[in-house]
Structure formats: structure tokens, C-alpha cells
Amino acid sequence: MRPTFMSFRWLLLYYALCFSLSKASAHTVELNNMFGQIQSPGYPDSYPSDSEVTWNITVPDGFRIKLYFMHFNLESSYLCEYDYVKVETEDQVLATFCGRETTDTEQTPGQEVVLSPGSFMSITFRSDFSNEERFTGFDAHYMAVDVDECKEREDEELSCDHYCHNYIGGYYCSCRFGYILHTDNRTCRVECSDNLFTQRTGVI
């Protein structure tokens, strides 16, 4: 029996409905507080199947994001291919967690602290279409931590010529006795001279 136009139309509507329902379970949460708490859907009850939630955390420049877990209980799977929590930045995966305990093919956070290299971190929770057991998910906390630019700054052109002083959210430079700070707020020059030498060695 050949399918009629109406049956074909109902089939299309059925697949469209299934697609929209699957997409409805995936959503993104934007966070910009200096600290906060993230929990799997339904926590402390079991999380739903076929669910996806992404939390994007952004803090001010001069800070990094520290993430740690107080509770973690996900479905076990080889290389975390079923249910997982993925922590990443714009271009780097920092960690992927799953299961109840760390094995050769699975990693749980345990007491591990995940630290972002910059002021942005993204955490994605994903569950597959079915779970045979009850898994309670996770309870995580994050906070902004100050970057010590005096110790961690890699760009020599932006480093202080003499002294570097770190403060929460930034840093500033100062000079040794007999020198004054140039208008670039990084370079030191002799107080009695109008000439500015940016090279550390040279011939005068």
C-alpha cells in the first residue's frame, strides 16, 4: 500500500515534533557573578535523560575562574561517551568528567580544582537518551580568583621595568630611587634626563 499525502504529512509533523522536543531540553545559562553554584537538572533527585545544559561564566578581566565539585554521580561509560560534564574555554577543553569514580577510561573530579586560563569558562552537562539506574548528578561551585599579573604575565613588553605590584583585579609599576615612571606606566627613566631608553642594554 502506497502512503498517501496525508500520511506523509503526519509523518513529517511527527519528526518535527520529536526534533523540537529534543531541542527544548538543551539550553544555555549566562552567568556573570563573581561566585555561584551550578547543579545538574533536578538535583538532588536523579537528572532526566536526553538533557543538555551549558553554563557560560564570565568574570571581569584580571580574574580567573575556579571550579570545584561537592558531589558527583553520573552514569559510567567508556571515555565518557554517554553522560558527562565538560569544562572548556573558547578554544580549549580543560576537563571531561563522568561516572562515579575514576578508572582507566573515566575521570571524576574528586577533590580536583579546575582553573580557567582567562576570564571565561563554559560547563556543559549532557545525558543520553536512557539511564538504567538512578544518578543524582552533580553539585559544583565557582568563584573568581585574582590573577597575579606580576608573576604570571608572559608578555615582556607589558611587564614592569623595575617593580611590579599586584592588587585585586590588576597591577601597577613603580621605579627604583632616582628614576621616574614614564607615561606608559611601565618604563622607568632617569629623573634628570629627557631621553627615554627602552632597551635594557645599549651604547650612549
Side-chain angles (χ1 to χ4, degrees):
M1 179 178 178
R2 296 180 60 186
T4 64
F5 174 76
M6 289 299 296
S7 63
F8 180 71
R9 182 180 179 184
W10 280 111
L11 185 62
L12 288 178
L13 289 174
Y14 171 77
Y15 281 114
L17 179 61
C18 291
F19 180 78
S20 63
L21 288 176
S22 64
K23 287 297 183 182
S25 62
H27 65 279
T28 301
V29 180
E30 301 293 337
L31 302 171
N32 53 19
N33 296 322
M34 297 294 282
F35 62 91
Q37 185 177 21
I38 297 173
Q39 296 176 331
S40 55
Y43 182 86
D45 295 328
S46 57
Y47 55 80
S49 300
D50 198 20
S51 178
E52 182 175 339
V53 184
T54 298
W55 296 267
N56 291 328
I57 306 172
T58 305
V59 296
D61 292 337
F63 291 88
R64 300 163 73 177
I65 301 168
K66 174 183 176 182
L67 176 73
Y68 58 95
F69 292 80
M70 303 298 292
H71 175 83
F72 196 89
N73 179 261
L74 266 64
E75 180 185 14
S76 300
S77 62
Y78 178 73
L79 297 179
C80 299
E81 60 183 347
Y82 296 156
D83 302 356
Y84 61 81
V85 172
K86 181 181 292 185
V87 185
E88 54 192 333
T89 61
E90 292 94 339
D91 55 2
Q92 179 185 4
V93 176
L94 302 177
T96 301
F97 301 120
C98 66
R100 293 175 172 174
E101 59 184 20
T102 297
T103 66
D104 293 339
T105 60
E106 302 168 355
Q107 182 183 5
T108 57
Q111 301 299 316
E112 179 180 347
V113 171
V114 183
L115 195 62
S116 68
S119 59
F120 175 80
M121 176 185 285
S122 180
I123 301 104
T124 298
F125 165 75
R126 179 75 175 92
S127 62
D128 64 356
F129 62 91
S130 66
N131 286 318
E132 297 179 357
E133 300 180 39
R134 180 180 181 271
F135 301 99
T136 52
F138 68 89
D139 175 32
H141 298 256
Y142 73 90
M143 65 180 66
V145 294
D146 178 50
V147 176
D148 190 342
E149 288 89 352
C150 296
K151 294 182 178 179
E152 301 184 26
R153 184 167 294 279
E154 298 178 355
D155 191 346
E156 186 174 346
E157 293 184 358
L158 298 179
S159 61
C160 297
D161 210 5
H162 287 178
Y163 302 125
C164 181
H165 310 273
N166 184 73
Y167 63 87
I168 296 178
Y171 74 103
Y172 68 94
C173 304
S174 66
C175 301
R176 293 193 293 266
F177 178 77
Y179 292 79
I180 61 174
L181 192 65
H182 187 55
T183 54
D184 62 6
N185 293 321
R186 293 179 287 102
T187 307
C188 297
R189 64 182 177 89
V190 179
E191 188 172 2
C192 61
S193 173
D194 292 331
N195 296 322
L196 173 65
F197 301 95
T198 59
Q199 301 297 325
R200 298 186 182 275
T201 60
V203 178
I204 299 177

